[in-house]
Amino acid sequence: MPLPVPEGYRPLDERTLPAYLAGLPAIAERLGGSPADWRAADVGDGNVNLVFLVHGAAGSVCVKQALPYVRLVGESWPLTLERIWYEYQALIECARYVGRRVPEVYHYDPRLYLLVVECLSPHIILRRGLVDGIRYPRFAEQMADYLARSLFFTSNLAQPAEEKRRRAALFGGNVELCRIMEDMVFTEPYRLHERNRWNSPQMDGLAEEIRRDVPLKLAVSRWKLRYMNSAEALIHGDLHTGSIMVTPQDTRIIDQEFAFYGPMGFDVGAVLANLLISYISQNGHATAAQPREEQQRWLLETVEELWERFRDAFLDLWREHGLGDAYPQPLFADPAAQAALAEERKAYLQRLFDDAMGFCGAKILRRIFGLAHVLDLETIADPDCRAACETACVRLARDLLVHPERYRGIADVTAAAAALRRDQSPAGSDLQRGTAGAA
Ligand code: ADP
Ligand code: MG
């Protein structure tokens, strides 16, 4: 049974949407012309909500409405309507620091649990572009800037203590969406669960192996606790390559409904995890006409560039805008203290790297054994070839989780990924062997 809905709530559709939007003067003006000529299209590739693009004579808008259940699954999986309010709050808070990296908000309707935002065009979903072999030369720089600004400015490094606590408390109510991550990322893939699925029978052996893998279950539970415990910054909370829309020139971040004050490394690790999956999965998309070697080289460079630019941008922001209540300035006025603080900042970033790698491992594994899979792997037609890519992903992810000491810098991660991709062993072989490139 779906949740009972509040009075006045009704889901809109392509037919009812134009009349509704006609009642919002600013939106009507943006669309232009007569409402009778507006065309609403159900985008339909979302998993959770209703999303429509509405086109008028003068412009377009994107309308997102929460349903009292998960769209992909149906009424048997009820989910709170309030999720769209958190998305709205995250968009406006984030926009203060990242400007147009997130879509502009035009309207929020608390009765219909509906959000009207900027229609991104000609942007496409990054994951789709990567599967199709497209390269995005500006992506690493723009994504690093988004991550550094959104995470730094919402943290205690930049905010007054009271403000940070108030904001964190506001997002503290997003419990249902956080619970989904807690279950689907950190728990379900490691036990028998009706929601799990995998590439069967090729991956049956590995699925069983990770259910018996105590060191892996300990490691992933350690990261689960960190996800639950750490309110470092306002994080996107679901920052995979399906939540990023791109052109070769521009990068935009969408789908903020999982936002809350959580560990910074969860966002950084999510992006890197999905780039690494894309990298390894390119083996399954290579053809004689499109060998994908350039794409793979670019993806590995992007993983490195993204982390390095993020780290440097974050440190720059901290040096220039570190006015929050953590590390109070008067305590570090003299040169010796300043030098010590500079070392402290570097250590903070090293700890953030470790977090990102732990979450990266967890984010990779859930895409192979949990409910939600990714196009990068699912569109590989040959199940054996797909399983070889998946096995390489699993090896990398397990090693990141169980042997973090092998990954002190981003080059250790890309070296391990490159070695695994070159040496894609048959599916289901011994996991404990770890990765060829590391150690
Ligand atoms: P869900 O929460 O259901 O996953 P998303 O926010 O991910 O919904 O949106 C679903 C799809 O709608 C995206 O994959 C993208 O194709 C499209 N979309 C979402 N927001 C916009 C936007 N602002 N402009 C253009 N297309 C969008
Ligand atoms: Mg989505």
Side-chain angles (χ1 to χ4, degrees):
M1 285 294 287
L3 298 174
V5 294
E7 183 111 356
Y9 172 85
R10 65 197 158 99
L12 297 182
D13 58 29
E14 284 115 318
R15 219 174 27 78
T16 52
L17 202 48
Y20 167 76
L21 294 174
L24 305 172
I27 307 284
E29 190 183 324
R30 195 174 280 281
L31 289 167
S34 154
D37 298 326
W38 297 347
R39 288 290 158 261
D42 183 345
V43 180
D45 71 343
N47 290 334
V48 186
N49 301 286
L50 292 172
V51 182
F52 302 96
L53 300 183
V54 187
H55 306 287
S60 304
V61 298
C62 174
V63 178
K64 181 163 178 177
Q65 185 177 30
L67 292 164
Y69 53 86
V70 177
R71 182 181 189 181
L72 175 74
V73 176
E75 305 209 346
S76 63
W77 187 347
L79 189 59
T80 166
L81 293 166
E82 304 295 334
R83 63 190 188 265
I84 196 83
W85 184 82
Y86 290 104
E87 179 157 355
Y88 165 55
Q89 289 296 322
L91 279 172
I92 51 181
E93 180 162 347
C94 213
R96 265 187 238 144
Y97 309 114
V98 306
R100 55 183 298 286
R101 287 280 157 253
V102 293
E104 188 183 339
V105 173
Y106 299 145
H107 183 73
Y108 177 69
D109 186 329
R111 272 160 64 92
L112 292 183
Y113 294 85
L114 174 153
L115 192 54
V116 186
V117 301
E118 175 184 359
C119 177
L120 301 172
S121 172
H123 300 66
I124 63 165
I125 290 289
L126 174 59
R127 192 187 301 287
R128 183 76 255 172
L130 297 179
V131 170
D132 291 342
I134 305 172
R135 293 191 278 283
Y136 296 94
R138 314 262 343 248
F139 169 72
E141 169 204 338
Q142 295 177 348
M143 195 67 208
D145 187 63
Y146 164 86
L147 284 167
R149 297 183 67 84
S150 64
L151 299 175
F152 173 79
F153 280 114
T154 58
S155 77
N156 282 311
L157 304 174
Q159 293 289 331
E162 300 80 355
E163 183 62 15
K164 156 72 170 30
R165 281 190 192 287
R166 281 194 200 100
R167 301 302 303 175
L170 191 76
F171 283 91
N174 203 6
V175 292
E176 287 87 350
L177 282 279
C178 288
R179 163 57 95 178
I180 290 178
M181 284 296 164
E182 285 148 10
D183 289 346
M184 291 189 18
V185 175
F186 300 103
T187 312
E188 286 166 14
Y190 306 91
R191 50 167 296 204
L192 285 173
H193 193 281
E194 61 193 9
R195 283 207 282 245
N196 290 342
R197 56 199 183 83
W198 57 82
N199 180 14
S200 180
Q202 279 81 355
M203 297 295 285
D204 289 358
L206 273 187
E208 195 187 328
E209 214 175 306
I210 77 159
R211 290 197 297 271
R212 285 193 273 105
D213 191 336
V214 177
L216 179 62
K217 289 191 280 190
L218 271 181
V220 88
S221 299
R222 213 174 287 135
W223 292 111
K224 179 177 185 177
L225 181 62
R226 185 142 182 84
Y227 174 88
M228 298 168 115
N229 254 345
S230 162
E232 277 183 311
L234 176 63
I235 67 171
H236 177 285
D238 193 23
L239 198 50
H240 55 86
T241 44
S243 296
I244 302 170
M245 295 189 74
V246 286
T247 70
Q249 299 310 323
D250 191 33
T251 306
R252 311 291 292 268
I253 319 304
I254 64 163
D255 202 6
Q256 284 78 358
E257 67 190 329
F258 285 87
F260 76 112
Y261 274 72
M264 297 183 184
F266 194 70
D267 274 2
V268 180
V271 187
L272 295 175
N274 282 272
L275 292 174
L276 288 164
I277 292 175
S278 173
Y279 167 74
I280 291 173
S281 72
Q282 296 292 329
N283 273 16
H285 299 291
T287 58
Q290 223 195 15
R292 298 291 177 110
E293 280 157 8
E294 273 298 292
Q295 181 74 357
Q296 286 176 322
R297 195 184 48 74
W298 173 79
L299 275 162
L300 271 202
E301 279 170 16
T302 298
V303 166
E304 293 183 359
E305 191 187 337
L306 177 54
W307 167 258
E308 284 161 6
R309 281 182 180 270
F310 164 74
R311 178 198 59 205
D312 295 347
F314 195 100
L315 285 170
D316 284 347
L317 289 172
W318 194 346
R319 273 190 295 269
E320 283 168 36
H321 305 280
L323 302 173
D325 274 311
Y327 299 98
Q329 282 199 316
L331 269 51
F332 302 100
D334 70 78
Q338 277 189 17
L341 182 56
E343 286 306 307
E344 178 80 1
R345 291 190 188 112
K346 277 199 234 156
Y348 183 96
L349 265 293
Q350 182 61 43
R351 200 268 305 142
L352 181 41
F353 176 78
D354 296 341
D355 283 15
M357 289 308 113
F359 290 125
C360 174
K363 289 287 221 168
I364 291 174
L365 287 172
R366 63 83 60 112
R367 296 299 190 179
I368 293 166
F369 299 112
L371 169 73
H373 284 232
V374 289
L375 270 188
D376 316 61
L377 293 163
E378 289 211 308
T379 53
I380 299 173
D382 172 4
D384 293 326
C385 175
R386 174 177 162 190
C389 294
E390 289 169 330
T391 301
C393 288
V394 173
R395 279 241 160 74
L396 177 64
R398 181 186 187 273
D399 216 52
L400 286 169
L401 283 159
V402 177
H403 294 292
E405 74 285 353
R406 292 176 178 167
Y407 301 92
R408 302 319 302 146
I410 195 69
D412 299 328
V413 181
T414 51
L420 281 163
R421 185 190 64 73
R422 275 195 308 272
D423 164 42
Q424 279 190 3
S425 37
S429 53
D430 183 16
L431 249 193
Q432 313 287 333
R433 229 182 64 205
T435 73

